[in-house]
Amino acid sequence: MTLAFEDLHPGRSYDLGTIVVDEAEMLDFARRYDPQPFHIDREAALRSPFGGLVASGWFTIALFMRLYVEGMLSDSTSQGSPGGEEFRWLSPVRPGDVLAGWITVEDARASQTRPDRGTALMRGQLVRDGSPVLTVAFRGLFGRRVSL
């Protein structure tokens, strides 16, 4: 059944599945969008505080987004997002890491002006070996099954 605003109850969590950090994709992204030495140069990364290559935080968010779309949005009434409120990179992400994604609904509010939709405050995270590497908070806009 298609996920709609009515399904987004505060406290409900969604398992978004897992993704493996692909080194070639990580490097391609960094070379194009975040070419800091510890993201693109193996030798420079060894001399950095990270002691090796690490993913751009923005790449890590893109991995989360991929899981969110595949695990929740692809069969939903999603109408986008009015914005994010928080992004935290808690631990470096490296090639080969296996990351698990989760979303928890914190709040859901029907629109006061558009009865066909509502927004949900979501808290998401990517976890490696039981420890979060990324946390995010944002609002998602979802259509309702029945307009009131």
Side-chain angles (χ1 to χ4, degrees):
M1 178 166 65
T2 299
L3 181 82
F5 173 75
E6 290 85 355
D7 303 313
L8 301 172
H9 304 288
R12 183 169 182 190
S13 290
Y14 296 85
D15 179 347
L16 303 178
T18 61
I19 195 164
V20 177
V21 179
D22 181 272
E23 183 171 351
E25 289 178 357
M26 183 184 101
L27 290 169
D28 287 346
F29 180 96
R31 285 184 189 114
R32 185 159 183 192
Y33 300 110
D34 191 357
Q36 297 181 73
F38 43 82
H39 295 324
I40 62 170
D41 182 322
R42 208 175 298 289
E43 293 301 316
L46 286 171
R47 295 186 303 274
S48 78
F50 300 110
L53 284 174
V54 294
S56 165
W58 300 108
F59 178 75
T60 305
I61 288 174
L63 294 175
F64 174 82
M65 189 67 198
R66 178 64 186 241
L67 289 177
Y68 180 45
V69 169
E70 288 178 351
M72 196 170 168
L73 296 185
S74 64
D75 187 20
S76 77
T77 61
S78 173
Q79 297 178 2
S81 171
E85 299 175 13
E86 174 184 307
F87 302 97
R88 296 196 188 275
W89 296 280
L90 304 172
S91 182
V93 170
R94 300 179 187 276
D97 282 355
V98 178
L99 305 176
W102 297 89
I103 285 272
T104 301
V105 179
E106 285 210 344
D107 179 50
R109 297 180 188 165
S111 172
Q112 298 295 316
T113 58
R114 305 282 306 262
D116 63 335
R117 67 191 65 178
T119 65
L121 176 60
M122 314 281 227
R123 289 223 176 253
Q125 61 180 331
L126 286 178
V127 176
R128 178 188 54 228
D129 297 327
S131 296
V133 297
L134 170 75
T135 60
V136 297
F138 58 93
R139 283 207 167 269
L141 181 62
F142 291 85
R144 297 180 82 171
R145 283 193 189 92
V146 180
S147 297
L148 301 178

